[in-house]
Amino acid sequence: VGSGGLLCEGEPYPVSDMRIQDNKISNNTISAVNPDVTNSIGAGAFFKSVKLTCSGNEFTGNKITDPANWVAGGGMNCESLALGSVISGNTFRNNVSTNLAGGMFVGWTHGYMKIENNYFFNNSAKLGGAFASYYSTLQLQNNVFYHNNAGLSGGAVYLTGEDAGSYHTVCLVNNTFNENKAKYAGALTVNLVNALVLNSIFWQDSAATDSREISINYPTFEIAFSNIDSSCINYAVDYIYGEGNINMNPLFADTLLNLAGLSPCINTGTDLVTCHGVTWEAPLYDIDNLLRPDPEAFLFDMGAHEFGSIGVGVNESAVGSRQSAVRVYPNPTGGMVNFQFTNYNLQSVTLKVFDIHGREVATVVDGKWSGDQVVRWDASVLPAGIYFYRLVGGQRSAVGKIIKF
C-alpha cells in the first residue's frame, strides 16, 4: 500500500527533481486489511528516491491505520531522498498513524537534510506523535512542536536507527516543544542515534509514567544552550549536559509559541557550537524567515521564533520590543557592567538581575528615568555564570543575558 493522497517514486539514477509547493493535502486515509500487505506508508503523501523540495504545504487530517503491520507517516512519508532535498515551511495538523510518525516520517535519508520552519500541531502516533526518523542523518531546525501525542514514546519526535555511527547523526537546533504528551518521553525519544540539541525550548511536555520530556536509550546525547529541566531527561548512556542551559518558564505569547517580551529565552542562545571537531551553526533566520539574530541584539534566542522579529498574528505591543531598549557592555564581564538606556524619558524604570534559577540577585535601577544615560553596576561579587537582566519601563520591556567570568 502506498499513499492515500500523493505518491512520487523516482529512480536512484538519474535523480528526479520534485517540487511540492503551496498545496493543501487533507483527509486522505489508508486502512490496510489485506493480510499480504506488510507495510502502509504516507497517508497524505509518499516520496521516494527523488530530490524533493516540499514547502508551504498544509497536511491536515490524514490518517494511516493498520494495527497488524508497520505503518509510518500519517501526513507524509519520505524515503531515500537525494542530497539537496529540503522540507521547509509546512504545517502538519491533526494527522494520525497507528505506528510511526503522525505528522511526518523520514527514512534512509542522509547528507543532513534540513527539515526546517515547520509547524506540527495535534498529530498523533504510537511512536513520534509529530515526527519520526529511521537510519537518517538530519538537521531539524526552527520547528514548532505543540500538543502532539504518542501512545508509547516520543510525544513530538522519535529518532531511531540501526547503528549509532559517528557524532552527531541528528542535530536539533532552535526548535520549540510545548505540551506534547506520551507514555514515555513527552517531547523526544532518541534510540541508536547520536543526537545534539542546541538553542531549543522544552516546556510542559509530559510523560504518563515518569514526567520525563526526553528519553535517551543509546548511545550519546548532548544538549546545550537550551531551556530544559535536567531532571526531566531519562538516560541510560553517555549524556552531556553542556553549557548555557537554563530551566525557566519561557513565557510564550501565543500558541504559535512566540516569545513574550520578558522571556528568559531571549538573547540566551548561541551562534555556533563545536563538538568532536565538527562545528554546528544556528540558522541565520527564524521560522518566519526573519533575520536571526535580531540586528538590535546581536545575540541568538532559544526556540523557533526570534524575538524582535515579530511572528504571524503577534501584536508587537503585546510582547514588547527590543528596539532602543538597553545596551549592556562589556559582556562577558569580570566585574563592572554598563547599562545604557535609550528612549525611556520621564518613565518609572526598574532594572533587575536574576540568576539562572530565576532568583533576584540585584536591583540596579528602581525609579524615574530621564534621558539617555549609563548606569554602572558591579558584578564582581557574583560567582561566575549566566545571569539575566530584566528592564521594565512604561509599556515596554527588555530581557537579556549577562555572562560573568
Side-chain angles (χ1 to χ4, degrees), residues 15-251:
V15 174
S16 301
D17 286 345
M18 177 64 61
R19 178 177 293 273
I20 307 297
Q21 185 171 355
D22 299 332
N23 300 284
K24 291 186 177 180
I25 302 172
S26 60
N27 301 320
N28 298 284
T29 300
I30 294 179
S31 181
V33 294
N34 187 336
D36 295 327
V37 172
T38 58
N39 59 72
S40 306
I41 43 182
F46 172 63
F47 304 99
K48 183 176 182 179
S49 299
V50 296
K51 182 181 178 182
L52 175 66
T53 300
C54 180
S55 63
N57 302 287
E58 296 182 17
F59 296 84
T60 305
N62 301 286
K63 188 174 183 179
I64 183 167
T65 61
D66 186 350
N69 296 305
W70 188 89
V71 298
M76 181 170 72
N77 183 303
C78 303
E79 297 182 6
S80 304
L81 296 184
L83 292 175
S85 295
V86 176
I87 299 172
S88 177
N90 304 283
T91 299
F92 298 83
R93 190 190 307 270
N94 300 327
N95 301 286
V96 176
S97 169
T98 54
N99 196 329
L100 275 171
M104 177 170 60
F105 172 80
V106 176
W108 303 277
T109 296
H110 301 285
Y112 293 97
M113 182 182 74
K114 288 183 178 178
I115 299 170
E116 61 180 8
N117 301 5
N118 302 288
Y119 286 98
F120 295 85
F121 299 128
N122 301 306
N123 303 282
S124 62
K126 181 179 179 181
L127 300 169
F131 176 87
S133 70
Y134 178 76
Y135 198 58
S136 297
T137 55
L138 305 170
Q139 184 159 340
L140 280 72
Q141 60 186 33
N142 290 341
N143 299 290
V144 165
F145 299 92
Y146 177 69
H147 214 266
N148 301 282
N149 180 71
L152 186 58
S153 188
V157 174
Y158 184 87
L159 307 173
T160 189
E162 296 177 351
D163 180 3
S166 59
Y167 300 99
H168 280 282
T169 49
V170 178
C171 186
L172 298 93
V173 187
N174 283 104
N175 298 287
T176 303
F177 298 81
N178 181 229
E179 294 188 11
N180 302 285
K181 297 180 180 181
K183 183 177 181 180
Y184 305 100
L188 170 65
T189 294
V190 180
N191 181 43
L192 278 172
V193 171
N194 281 312
L196 172 67
V197 177
L198 300 173
N199 289 1
S200 293
I201 298 173
F202 298 85
W203 184 249
Q204 294 183 332
D205 304 292
S206 60
T209 56
D210 56 10
S211 73
R212 303 302 179 102
E213 290 189 275
I214 299 175
S215 179
I216 312 153
N217 298 324
Y218 185 83
T220 301
F221 179 84
E222 299 186 47
I223 184 168
F225 295 96
S226 294
N227 191 84
I228 179 69
D229 182 350
S230 60
S231 68
C232 291
I233 301 177
N234 179 37
Y235 59 97
V237 292
D238 292 340
Y239 157 47
I240 300 175
Y241 190 76
E243 63 178 319
N245 293 308
I246 62 174
N247 176 26
M248 302 177 72
N249 186 335
L251 299 178

